[in-house]
Amino acid sequence: MLSISDFSEMCHLSPQTLRFYHSEGLLVPADVNERTGYRSYTFDQVERAMLITVLRGTGMSVELVRRALDEPDAAPALLEQHGMEVRRRRQAQDDAISDARELLGSWPEVRLNHAPGTTVVSKPVAGPPAGRDRDDWDQADAVLTAVQEVVKTVESCGAVVSGTPWRAPAIETPEQRRQNLTPEGPHWLVKIPITADEKAVAALPGDVEVQIFEARDELSIFIPGKRSLAKHCTAVSRLARHPLDAAFIDLSGIRELLHDGGVETAVAIRGLDDTGVGG
């Protein structure tokens, strides 16, 4: 029999870790002295300790290691599943590092732009509203896949995408505003600037609408990386605090231009005597 100190040295596991593994049922001592509580191990248990160490080294939780040990046939699949999750977390960390590098290198600033008038196709997109729940924002970003679908539709009809796509809240009509308040939505409108002749416009499917986006002055701010509630609030706060002379920003005309690597939030500038609303 090996004392806990000898077993600890042999397996490179501290006595505290061995006691923890005992309490979790991962590595139960061969014997526990009822009077002193001293734990003793056998040499054969070194192999199990080694396997636990390897699995824990992958970042597996104690619960997942226990499952792998208790269900040897399922262990490879559990390890593969864990590996996929590790890669997902690494990618998320890499993205966060990239975001941090850009933010610290050049903090986003509000810009005054003139958005030219253009023809756009507009399509309502089903998806959750971007609320306070983090999952809402993650799912709302999944709506962006609809942009590529609309682009393919537009191009297949002979139209040409002529600018950066954007999305806006689906509140342009009374019906959209009503539906926007329901869980089903749609909550978003995908907008694609196009150049198209009459033939291409006529070929577009009925679920897209051809509109004229009227020229307007805007304030905008670009924030790199994946969209989040914190980034959205930062953008709106910066835009709202930007000084304007005899004018205000119209948040009902907010739009999010979908650039590679980030989102540009833009709002229309209205004169104090201007009551128009843009999208």
Side-chain angles (χ1 to χ4, degrees):
M1 299 288 281
L2 299 169
S3 68
I4 191 171
S5 60
D6 290 339
F7 193 74
S8 168
E9 184 175 351
M10 185 176 294
C11 300
H12 295 282
L13 294 170
S14 69
Q16 292 84 356
T17 299
L18 289 172
R19 295 186 186 100
F20 173 66
Y21 286 169
H22 181 192
S23 68
E24 293 293 325
L26 284 182
L27 188 56
V28 178
D31 181 68
V32 179
N33 189 296
E34 294 183 1
R35 183 174 62 84
T36 62
Y38 287 167
R39 296 167 173 82
S40 300
Y41 298 82
T42 66
F43 190 80
D44 291 341
Q45 289 183 288
V46 173
E47 182 176 329
R48 184 177 177 90
M50 179 272 296
L51 183 56
I52 292 171
T53 299
V54 169
L55 292 175
R56 288 285 284 160
T58 68
M60 273 188 171
S61 66
V62 168
E63 180 180 356
L64 201 56
V65 170
R66 185 188 299 111
R67 285 186 58 193
L69 294 175
D70 292 344
E71 307 170 36
D73 292 342
L78 291 173
L79 183 60
E80 179 61 26
Q81 180 182 356
H82 174 69
M84 292 174 61
E85 176 61 21
V86 168
R87 289 189 288 273
R88 186 194 66 79
R89 289 199 300 265
R90 285 175 180 165
Q91 184 60 55
Q93 289 176 331
D94 287 343
D95 291 344
I97 290 171
S98 178
D99 285 0
R101 186 178 291 117
E102 289 198 48
L103 286 169
L104 295 176
S106 178
W107 190 254
E109 297 293 340
V110 174
R111 297 181 301 171
L112 174 63
N113 303 316
H114 178 75
T118 185
T119 302
V120 301
V121 294
S122 175
K123 181 178 180 179
V125 177
R132 296 190 178 188
D133 189 279
R134 178 176 178 178
D135 289 340
D136 287 344
W137 288 82
D138 290 342
Q139 293 178 55
D141 276 340
V143 172
L144 300 184
T145 57
V147 172
Q148 295 303 320
E149 295 174 2
V150 177
V151 167
K152 289 179 181 178
T153 298
V154 165
E155 292 177 339
S156 69
C157 295
V160 176
V161 176
S162 57
T164 303
W166 72 85
R167 67 177 175 185
I171 55 173
E172 290 183 347
T173 67
E175 178 62 17
Q176 287 177 3
R177 288 193 288 272
R178 185 189 67 79
Q179 293 180 336
N180 191 278
L181 297 176
T182 68
E184 295 79 17
H187 301 101
W188 304 104
L189 298 172
V190 169
K191 308 271 190 172
I192 310 290
I194 64 167
T195 300
D197 57 23
E198 292 183 1
K199 181 180 179 180
V201 170
L204 291 170
D207 61 346
V208 300
E209 179 183 356
V210 178
Q211 299 176 333
I212 298 298
F213 175 79
E214 296 189 5
R216 70 188 199 183
D217 291 329
E218 293 183 327
L219 290 181
S220 72
I221 184 170
F222 175 82
I223 297 184
K226 186 179 179 181
R227 187 170 176 267
S228 70
L229 177 57
K231 289 182 178 180
H232 174 73
C233 290
T234 296
V236 172
S237 174
R238 286 280 184 122
L239 293 169
R241 288 187 284 117
H242 190 78
L244 292 171
D245 185 19
F248 64 96
I249 62 169
D250 179 9
L251 288 175
S252 68
I254 194 169
R255 63 188 187 126
E256 294 180 343
L257 289 86
L258 309 173
H259 299 279
D260 291 337
V263 174
E264 179 185 5
T265 303
V267 290
I269 299 174
R270 306 294 181 193
L272 295 180
D273 59 348
D274 185 357
T275 59
V277 176

